[in-house]
Amino acid sequence: MKYPITLDALEVLDAIDRKGSFAAAANELFRVPSAISYTVQKLEQDLDVVLFRKEGRRAVLTQAGKLLLEQGREILEATERLAIATKKTHSGWEPVFNIAIDSILNFDFIYPLIAKFYTVLPTIEINIYEEVLGGAQEAITSNRADLVIGAGVEATPSQGINYQNIRKIEWIFAVAPGHELTQAAQPLSRQLIEQHRFIVVRDSSRNQAPQSHRVFSKRPVLSVQSITEKIQAQCLGLGVGFLPAHRIQDKLEQGLLIALPVENTIPIETITMAWKTANKGRVLRWFIDQLSQHNFIMPS
């Protein structure tokens, strides 16, 4: 099917609207006025609509013309983005880069790196989003993310995925001040802990059964969507649970949470940075190199 609306015609309409006349548009586009008039007349004829009306010396869009130009400008902008993206891809720079960060980590570390990256290449689109539990691993295997920061260690690493250990996570059982467990015999037994409501973070997996870790409760749980919300809920005394030590150090120092020893301790966990082996993009390599120099990366 042949479409009468071309990029050239949209550029002409845009120039006429911005400059106010056919002559001024012709001057901007380095064309003769008759060429501008012909483009508009041909488009009106093919669409069977009137796009401009005269108001004195000024060419003003009709309602049909306004609709065409409004959506036409979106096409022009998308075309420009496509051209830029194609050039970047040809040069090895991914036009769009997706970073998934596990909820176990505070996101503060990533923003200075992005600011630094923008000084190198400010036109790359970067998407950052949060994953929880199995969602982090799924994000890399399903190609939702180009880089995952905070994935667990795979017992049998997936073929075609690189893993780099980034830090160890210590888990602390914590409750709000005044919680009845603060008066119980310590270390707390699992049987005692099971009698209290746990706060859990929902797994963000989309294509696999949700996981649930570090839960010792026989009571209905309170489910939240991130570690940040879990910390807040536990500070308010809405439940108990294990929290990553590095995320609650300030809360412990301020007395907003109290760490309690337990009989069934949670082993120290190693988390990783993961990416597809086949991905040779320069944006990915830049972030891997920068993160490898960051202070939360474990030494080799």
Side-chain angles (χ1 to χ4, degrees), residues 55-90:
E55 289 188 0
R57 295 184 177 180
R58 188 173 180 85
V60 179
L61 286 165
T62 63
Q63 287 301 314
K66 288 178 181 178
L67 174 66
L68 177 59
L69 182 56
E70 179 181 347
Q71 298 190 25
R73 279 173 172 157
E74 294 179 5
I75 294 173
L76 290 173
E77 290 170 2
T79 303
E80 183 178 8
R81 290 195 300 269
L82 178 60
I84 292 171
T86 301
K87 290 179 181 179
K88 288 174 184 171
T89 302
H90 178 71

Short mmCIF file of all heavy atoms in Angstrom, two decimals, residues 55-90:
data_model
loop_
_atom_site.label_atom_id
_atom_site.label_comp_id
_atom_site.label_asym_id
_atom_site.label_seq_id
_atom_site.Cartn_x
_atom_site.Cartn_y
_atom_site.Cartn_z
N GLU A 55 -4.73 33.52 6.68
CA GLU A 55 -5.16 34.60 7.59
C GLU A 55 -4.22 35.76 7.34
O GLU A 55 -3.14 35.83 7.94
CB GLU A 55 -5.13 34.14 9.04
CG GLU A 55 -6.21 33.13 9.39
CD GLU A 55 -6.29 32.84 10.88
OE1 GLU A 55 -5.48 33.44 11.64
OE2 GLU A 55 -7.14 32.03 11.29
N GLY A 56 -4.64 36.65 6.43
CA GLY A 56 -3.73 37.72 6.02
C GLY A 56 -2.60 37.12 5.22
O GLY A 56 -2.81 36.40 4.25
N ARG A 57 -1.37 37.40 5.65
CA ARG A 57 -0.21 36.84 4.97
C ARG A 57 0.27 35.54 5.61
O ARG A 57 1.24 34.94 5.15
CB ARG A 57 0.93 37.86 4.98
CG ARG A 57 0.64 39.12 4.18
CD ARG A 57 1.85 40.03 4.18
NE ARG A 57 1.62 41.23 3.36
CZ ARG A 57 2.52 42.19 3.18
NH1 ARG A 57 3.73 42.08 3.74
NH2 ARG A 57 2.23 43.23 2.45
N ARG A 58 -0.38 35.15 6.65
CA ARG A 58 0.06 33.99 7.42
C ARG A 58 -0.73 32.73 7.05
O ARG A 58 -1.94 32.78 6.86
CB ARG A 58 -0.09 34.26 8.92
CG ARG A 58 0.52 33.18 9.80
CD ARG A 58 0.48 33.59 11.27
NE ARG A 58 1.07 32.56 12.10
CZ ARG A 58 2.35 32.42 12.35
NH1 ARG A 58 3.21 33.28 11.80
NH2 ARG A 58 2.80 31.46 13.12
N ALA A 59 -0.03 31.61 6.91
CA ALA A 59 -0.66 30.31 6.65
C ALA A 59 -0.93 29.64 8.00
O ALA A 59 -0.01 29.44 8.81
CB ALA A 59 0.27 29.43 5.81
N VAL A 60 -2.20 29.33 8.22
CA VAL A 60 -2.62 28.77 9.51
C VAL A 60 -3.20 27.37 9.29
O VAL A 60 -3.99 27.16 8.36
CB VAL A 60 -3.67 29.67 10.20
CG1 VAL A 60 -4.12 29.05 11.52
CG2 VAL A 60 -3.09 31.07 10.41
N LEU A 61 -2.83 26.45 10.13
CA LEU A 61 -3.30 25.07 10.00
C LEU A 61 -4.79 24.96 10.30
O LEU A 61 -5.29 25.60 11.23
CB LEU A 61 -2.53 24.15 10.95
CG LEU A 61 -1.08 23.81 10.57
CD1 LEU A 61 -0.37 23.21 11.77
CD2 LEU A 61 -1.06 22.85 9.39
N THR A 62 -5.47 24.14 9.55
CA THR A 62 -6.85 23.76 9.88
C THR A 62 -6.80 22.71 10.99
O THR A 62 -5.72 22.26 11.40
CB THR A 62 -7.55 23.16 8.65
OG1 THR A 62 -6.87 21.96 8.28
CG2 THR A 62 -7.55 24.14 7.49
N GLN A 63 -7.96 22.29 11.49
CA GLN A 63 -7.99 21.26 12.52
C GLN A 63 -7.37 19.96 12.00
O GLN A 63 -6.63 19.28 12.72
CB GLN A 63 -9.44 21.01 12.98
CG GLN A 63 -10.02 22.12 13.83
CD GLN A 63 -9.20 22.35 15.10
OE1 GLN A 63 -8.81 21.42 15.80
NE2 GLN A 63 -8.92 23.62 15.38
N ALA A 64 -7.67 19.63 10.75
CA ALA A 64 -7.07 18.43 10.16
C ALA A 64 -5.56 18.58 10.05
O ALA A 64 -4.79 17.65 10.32
CB ALA A 64 -7.68 18.17 8.78
N GLY A 65 -5.14 19.80 9.66
CA GLY A 65 -3.70 20.05 9.56
C GLY A 65 -3.01 19.95 10.91
O GLY A 65 -1.89 19.43 11.02
N LYS A 66 -3.67 20.49 11.95
CA LYS A 66 -3.09 20.42 13.30
C LYS A 66 -2.90 18.98 13.75
O LYS A 66 -1.88 18.62 14.34
CB LYS A 66 -3.98 21.17 14.30
CG LYS A 66 -3.94 22.67 14.14
CD LYS A 66 -4.88 23.35 15.14
CE LYS A 66 -4.86 24.86 14.98
NZ LYS A 66 -5.81 25.53 15.93
N LEU A 67 -3.91 18.15 13.50
CA LEU A 67 -3.82 16.73 13.88
C LEU A 67 -2.67 16.06 13.14
O LEU A 67 -1.86 15.34 13.75
CB LEU A 67 -5.13 16.02 13.57
CG LEU A 67 -5.13 14.49 13.79
CD1 LEU A 67 -4.95 14.17 15.26
CD2 LEU A 67 -6.41 13.87 13.25
N LEU A 68 -2.60 16.30 11.84
CA LEU A 68 -1.55 15.68 11.05
C LEU A 68 -0.17 16.12 11.53
O LEU A 68 0.75 15.30 11.67
CB LEU A 68 -1.74 16.04 9.57
CG LEU A 68 -0.66 15.52 8.61
CD1 LEU A 68 -0.57 14.00 8.67
CD2 LEU A 68 -0.95 15.99 7.19
N LEU A 69 -0.01 17.42 11.79
CA LEU A 69 1.30 17.92 12.19
C LEU A 69 1.67 17.46 13.61
O LEU A 69 2.82 17.10 13.87
CB LEU A 69 1.33 19.45 12.13
CG LEU A 69 2.68 20.09 12.49
CD1 LEU A 69 3.80 19.53 11.62
CD2 LEU A 69 2.60 21.60 12.35
N GLU A 70 0.68 17.44 14.52
CA GLU A 70 0.96 17.02 15.90
C GLU A 70 1.52 15.59 15.93
O GLU A 70 2.54 15.32 16.56
CB GLU A 70 -0.31 17.09 16.73
CG GLU A 70 -0.12 16.65 18.18
CD GLU A 70 -1.40 16.71 18.98
OE1 GLU A 70 -2.40 17.31 18.49
OE2 GLU A 70 -1.44 16.16 20.09
N GLN A 71 0.83 14.69 15.23
CA GLN A 71 1.31 13.31 15.22
C GLN A 71 2.48 13.14 14.26
O GLN A 71 3.33 12.27 14.46
CB GLN A 71 0.17 12.37 14.86
CG GLN A 71 -0.96 12.42 15.90
CD GLN A 71 -1.99 11.33 15.70
OE1 GLN A 71 -1.72 10.29 15.13
NE2 GLN A 71 -3.21 11.60 16.17
N GLY A 72 2.53 13.99 13.25
CA GLY A 72 3.65 13.94 12.32
C GLY A 72 4.96 14.31 12.99
O GLY A 72 6.02 13.74 12.67
N ARG A 73 4.91 15.27 13.91
CA ARG A 73 6.13 15.65 14.62
C ARG A 73 6.66 14.49 15.48
O ARG A 73 7.87 14.33 15.66
CB ARG A 73 5.87 16.88 15.48
CG ARG A 73 5.93 18.18 14.68
CD ARG A 73 5.51 19.39 15.46
NE ARG A 73 5.77 20.61 14.71
CZ ARG A 73 5.15 21.76 14.91
NH1 ARG A 73 4.18 21.84 15.83
NH2 ARG A 73 5.46 22.83 14.18
N GLU A 74 5.73 13.70 16.02
CA GLU A 74 6.16 12.52 16.77
C GLU A 74 6.90 11.55 15.86
O GLU A 74 7.89 10.93 16.26
CB GLU A 74 4.94 11.83 17.41
CG GLU A 74 4.26 12.67 18.48
CD GLU A 74 3.05 11.96 19.08
OE1 GLU A 74 2.81 10.78 18.71
OE2 GLU A 74 2.34 12.57 19.89
N ILE A 75 6.40 11.43 14.62
CA ILE A 75 7.07 10.56 13.64
C ILE A 75 8.45 11.11 13.29
O ILE A 75 9.43 10.35 13.21
CB ILE A 75 6.20 10.41 12.38
CG1 ILE A 75 4.91 9.68 12.72
CG2 ILE A 75 6.98 9.68 11.28
CD1 ILE A 75 3.91 9.62 11.57
N LEU A 76 8.54 12.42 13.10
CA LEU A 76 9.84 13.03 12.79
C LEU A 76 10.83 12.83 13.93
O LEU A 76 12.01 12.51 13.71
CB LEU A 76 9.66 14.52 12.50
CG LEU A 76 8.93 14.88 11.19
CD1 LEU A 76 8.68 16.38 11.13
CD2 LEU A 76 9.72 14.40 9.98
N GLU A 77 10.37 13.01 15.17
CA GLU A 77 11.24 12.83 16.32
C GLU A 77 11.67 11.37 16.46
O GLU A 77 12.82 11.07 16.77
CB GLU A 77 10.53 13.29 17.60
CG GLU A 77 10.33 14.80 17.66
CD GLU A 77 9.42 15.22 18.81
OE1 GLU A 77 8.98 14.33 19.57
OE2 GLU A 77 9.16 16.44 18.93
N ALA A 78 10.71 10.46 16.23
CA ALA A 78 11.04 9.04 16.30
C ALA A 78 12.04 8.64 15.22
O ALA A 78 12.94 7.84 15.45
CB ALA A 78 9.76 8.20 16.18
N THR A 79 11.88 9.23 14.04
CA THR A 79 12.81 8.95 12.94
C THR A 79 14.21 9.43 13.29
O THR A 79 15.20 8.75 13.01
CB THR A 79 12.32 9.63 11.65
OG1 THR A 79 11.00 9.16 11.34
CG2 THR A 79 13.24 9.32 10.49
N GLU A 80 14.28 10.62 13.90
CA GLU A 80 15.58 11.14 14.30
C GLU A 80 16.23 10.24 15.35
O GLU A 80 17.42 9.94 15.29
CB GLU A 80 15.43 12.56 14.86
CG GLU A 80 16.75 13.20 15.24
CD GLU A 80 16.59 14.62 15.75
OE1 GLU A 80 15.43 15.06 15.93
OE2 GLU A 80 17.60 15.29 15.97
N ARG A 81 15.41 9.78 16.33
CA ARG A 81 15.94 8.88 17.36
C ARG A 81 16.42 7.57 16.74
O ARG A 81 17.43 7.01 17.14
CB ARG A 81 14.88 8.60 18.42
CG ARG A 81 14.54 9.79 19.31
CD ARG A 81 13.78 9.36 20.55
NE ARG A 81 12.52 8.72 20.21
CZ ARG A 81 11.36 9.35 20.09
NH1 ARG A 81 11.32 10.67 20.25
NH2 ARG A 81 10.25 8.71 19.81
N LEU A 82 15.65 7.08 15.75
CA LEU A 82 16.03 5.85 15.08
C LEU A 82 17.36 6.00 14.34
O LEU A 82 18.21 5.11 14.40
CB LEU A 82 14.94 5.43 14.09
CG LEU A 82 15.20 4.18 13.25
CD1 LEU A 82 15.41 2.97 14.14
CD2 LEU A 82 14.05 3.95 12.29
N ALA A 83 17.53 7.13 13.69
CA ALA A 83 18.79 7.37 12.97
C ALA A 83 19.96 7.42 13.94
O ALA A 83 21.03 6.84 13.68
CB ALA A 83 18.69 8.68 12.18
N ILE A 84 19.76 8.12 15.06
CA ILE A 84 20.82 8.22 16.07
C ILE A 84 21.13 6.85 16.64
O ILE A 84 22.30 6.47 16.82
CB ILE A 84 20.40 9.20 17.19
CG1 ILE A 84 20.33 10.63 16.63
CG2 ILE A 84 21.38 9.14 18.35
CD1 ILE A 84 19.72 11.63 17.59
N ALA A 85 20.07 6.08 16.95
CA ALA A 85 20.26 4.75 17.53
C ALA A 85 21.01 3.84 16.56
O ALA A 85 21.87 3.05 16.96
CB ALA A 85 18.92 4.13 17.89
N THR A 86 20.69 3.95 15.28
CA THR A 86 21.36 3.13 14.28
C THR A 86 22.84 3.46 14.21
O THR A 86 23.69 2.55 14.16
CB THR A 86 20.71 3.35 12.90
OG1 THR A 86 19.32 3.02 12.97
CG2 THR A 86 21.38 2.49 11.84
N LYS A 87 23.18 4.73 14.26
CA LYS A 87 24.58 5.14 14.24
C LYS A 87 25.31 4.66 15.49
O LYS A 87 26.45 4.19 15.42
CB LYS A 87 24.67 6.67 14.15
CG LYS A 87 24.22 7.23 12.79
CD LYS A 87 24.33 8.75 12.78
CE LYS A 87 23.87 9.31 11.46
NZ LYS A 87 23.92 10.80 11.42
N LYS A 88 24.63 4.75 16.65
CA LYS A 88 25.27 4.30 17.88
C LYS A 88 25.52 2.80 17.86
O LYS A 88 26.57 2.32 18.29
CB LYS A 88 24.39 4.66 19.08
CG LYS A 88 24.36 6.13 19.41
CD LYS A 88 23.35 6.40 20.50
CE LYS A 88 23.23 7.88 20.79
NZ LYS A 88 22.10 8.17 21.69
N THR A 89 24.51 2.06 17.37
CA THR A 89 24.66 0.61 17.30
C THR A 89 25.80 0.23 16.37
O THR A 89 26.59 -0.68 16.67
CB THR A 89 23.35 -0.04 16.82
OG1 THR A 89 22.30 0.31 17.71
CG2 THR A 89 23.49 -1.55 16.76
N HIS A 90 25.92 0.95 15.26
CA HIS A 90 27.01 0.69 14.31
C HIS A 90 28.36 0.93 14.98
O HIS A 90 29.33 0.23 14.69
CB HIS A 90 26.84 1.60 13.08
CG HIS A 90 27.94 1.44 12.08
ND1 HIS A 90 28.07 0.31 11.30
CD2 HIS A 90 28.97 2.26 11.74
CE1 HIS A 90 29.14 0.45 10.52
NE2 HIS A 90 29.69 1.62 10.76
#
